[in-house]
Amino acid sequence: MYKKLAVALCLLASPLSAQTVSIETYRGHQDVPVTPGKIAVFDMAALDSLLALGVVPDATIHPVYVDYLAEATNSAAHVGTLFEPDYEAIAAIAPDLVIAGGRSYKAVPKLNKIAPTIDMTIWEDTVGQGLDRLEAYGEIFDKQAEAAALAQAFEAKVEATRNSTSGQGSALVVMTNGPKISAYGPEGRFGWLYDTVGLKPAVENIESSTHGEAISFEFIHDANPDVLIVIDRMAAIGQDGDAAQTVLDNPLVQETKAWETGKVIYLDSTPLYIAAGGIQSMTLTLDQIAAAFEAD
């Protein structure tokens, strides 16, 4: 009788978090606890999408750089930075799940020794991987309906943005870093800004690298894009330096079709650069691009 009672009590006491779900991570399939009690987040794209789902972490990095992420995580414990986790602080919190990736990619093995850790890096396919990660978070935190609604709204916004940019010619995506300028092609880090938005690249063969291909004002002049999409790295990471508007205010750039028609789009660079692939970040970027075309 006592044996049967003990078994029954064990079954009743079995927590939901003991259940797992298999999700696709950057390092392959991994079993993850469902509705984990405490979570620590070291990836800003993950934090972006989690907050959109209403999931607030117990611990995250400081600073998080992006204003709307910082406001939502005021109550979270600080456990290091993107590149340097505070392992002792994490161990003290004893999270049920750690979500890392991107800039914290290298820390994943060590974090995994402290608590179950998933690598949710978004790299080769910003939009595709971003939506996959959103779906995975929906599965982990029992927010499937919310994740599906966010994805559906994003797809509708992509379609609306493409309608706005249809027939608007070619585009060139550049990033300023103080006085330095680099360009990104369709296969580069910000290549999704061509394909997803529906703009053809002004230059096809641009070196695909993390920080883009170093270019000159002459490069922009010769490419002569109809649309110039600009990311300001110094502004994105909160460092002082020449603003993108100042750097590009150059006679050669002024002769491009983009400049002459007012189609130089200075994006809100912090969400795009820091939280690339997060559902809120991608949505904000599309809103900015669509607004630039609807202003005509």
Side-chain angles (χ1 to χ4, degrees), residues 270-287:
T270 306
L272 176 63
Y273 187 79
I274 299 294
I279 191 65
Q280 296 183 78
S281 168
M282 294 191 294
T283 301
L284 286 169
T285 299
L286 287 184
D287 282 340

Side-chain angles (χ1 to χ4, degrees), residues 39-41 47 51 56-62 64 69-79 93:
I39 62 168
V41 179
L47 182 60
L51 291 175
V56 180
D58 299 275
T60 190
I61 68 156
H62 182 76
V64 298
L69 300 183
E71 292 171 4
T73 56
N74 285 335
S75 62
H78 299 161
V79 284
I93 292 170

Side-chain angles (χ1 to χ4, degrees), residues 72-294:
T73 56
N74 285 335
S75 62
H78 299 161
V79 284
T81 68
L82 279 176
F83 296 101
E84 296 183 6
D86 184 338
Y87 297 104
E88 290 185 2
I90 300 164
I93 292 170
D96 298 288
L97 180 66
V98 177
I99 301 173
R103 294 170 177 84
S104 59
Y105 172 89
K106 292 182 179 179
V108 169
K110 193 168 182 178
L111 287 168
N112 203 36
K113 293 179 180 179
I114 299 173
T117 302
I118 52 175
D119 180 357
M120 301 302 268
T121 294
I122 295 171
W123 189 247
E124 297 85 0
D125 178 6
T126 299
V127 174
Q129 290 175 330
L131 292 177
D132 287 345
R133 303 294 183 255
L134 176 66
E135 182 180 7
Y137 300 139
E139 293 290 331
I140 295 170
F141 296 97
D142 196 22
K143 299 272 189 178
Q144 296 92 333
E146 292 89 337
L150 286 168
Q152 186 175 13
F154 177 76
E155 294 290 0
K157 196 172 290 289
V158 168
E159 188 64 28
T161 305
R162 284 179 174 171
N163 290 336
S164 299
T165 62
S166 178
Q168 296 290 335
S170 64
L172 179 65
V173 176
V174 300
M175 182 171 72
T176 63
N177 187 16
K180 300 177 182 178
I181 314 170
S182 55
Y184 291 85
E187 303 302 320
R189 181 178 182 180
F190 302 107
W192 71 276
L193 295 175
Y194 295 102
D195 181 56
T196 305
V197 173
L199 290 167
K200 66 178 183 180
V203 181
E204 292 285 351
N205 300 318
I206 294 178
E207 179 184 338
S208 178
S209 64
T210 301
H211 296 294
E213 178 180 336
I215 61 169
S216 62
F217 296 123
E218 287 81 1
F219 183 98
I220 299 174
H221 178 271
D222 294 344
N224 195 22
D226 295 289
V227 182
L228 187 61
I229 299 176
V230 184
I231 303 159
D232 187 333
R233 183 178 180 275
M234 299 296 281
I237 60 177
Q239 289 190 356
D240 294 331
D242 293 336
Q245 289 90 334
T246 301
V247 174
L248 294 175
D249 191 2
N250 174 276
L252 289 171
V253 179
Q254 291 169 6
E255 292 181 2
T256 62
K257 289 179 286 188
W259 190 281
E260 292 173 352
T261 60
K263 282 295 179 294
V264 180
I265 305 173
Y266 297 95
L267 295 177
D268 185 355
S269 301
T270 306
L272 176 63
Y273 187 79
I274 299 294
I279 191 65
Q280 296 183 78
S281 168
M282 294 191 294
T283 301
L284 286 169
T285 299
L286 287 184
D287 282 340
Q288 280 192 283
I289 294 173
F293 286 95
E294 292 166 1

